[in-house]
Amino acid sequence: MSDFEEKTGDKMIELQLTKKSSTLNLPINKLITRYIMRGLFIDDYYEPPTRSEEELMELGRKAVEKDKKRGIPPKKHNFDYFVGLLNE
């Protein structure tokens, strides 16, 4: 057997949490809450709202309007390069 043993326990987890909380400048309780919420999101407990096509188009229009107000002009995308690319 090797001399190296990986020890996982409360002390190790607490040490990692304190390091990460000091790095992010968050209290440990807030950090634990964020980890739990992320875990729930990843485990598919969170179901995003279903939106119709009209709602999605409206959200896109609003995003473009916000960008215009910020000085970011909309781009015209040209996808002619991709047409027939797989046929060659």
Side-chain angles (χ1 to χ4, degrees), residues 76-88:
K76 300 225 176 193
H77 300 287
N78 186 4
F79 296 106
D80 290 341
Y81 171 76
F82 298 108
V83 175
L85 184 66
L86 296 177
N87 294 339
E88 294 177 359

Side-chain angles (χ1 to χ4, degrees), residues 52-64:
S52 67
E53 186 177 346
E54 293 84 21
E55 289 174 325
L56 293 173
M57 292 300 286
E58 184 63 29
L59 288 173
R61 278 189 219 107
K62 287 181 181 178
V64 169

Side-chain angles (χ1 to χ4, degrees), residues 1-16:
M1 273 196 142
S2 66
D3 295 333
F4 177 73
E5 259 186 55
E6 185 175 334
K7 295 182 180 180
T8 57
D10 293 340
K11 295 281 185 191
M12 183 202 62
I13 292 172
E14 186 177 341
L15 181 66
Q16 288 178 351

Side-chain angles (χ1 to χ4, degrees), residues 29-81:
N29 294 337
K30 182 84 169 178
L31 186 64
I32 291 172
T33 305
R34 284 188 179 188
Y35 282 149
I36 290 171
M37 292 304 292
R38 179 176 285 160
L40 292 177
F41 182 78
I42 291 173
D43 291 339
D44 294 333
Y45 290 110
Y46 173 78
E47 294 182 13
T50 55
R51 299 183 192 264
S52 67
E53 186 177 346
E54 293 84 21
E55 289 174 325
L56 293 173
M57 292 300 286
E58 184 63 29
L59 288 173
R61 278 189 219 107
K62 287 181 181 178
V64 169
E65 288 175 13
K66 280 184 182 178
D67 286 346
K68 283 181 183 178
K69 288 180 182 176
R70 293 179 185 158
I72 303 170
K75 292 183 179 179
K76 300 225 176 193
H77 300 287
N78 186 4
F79 296 106
D80 290 341
Y81 171 76

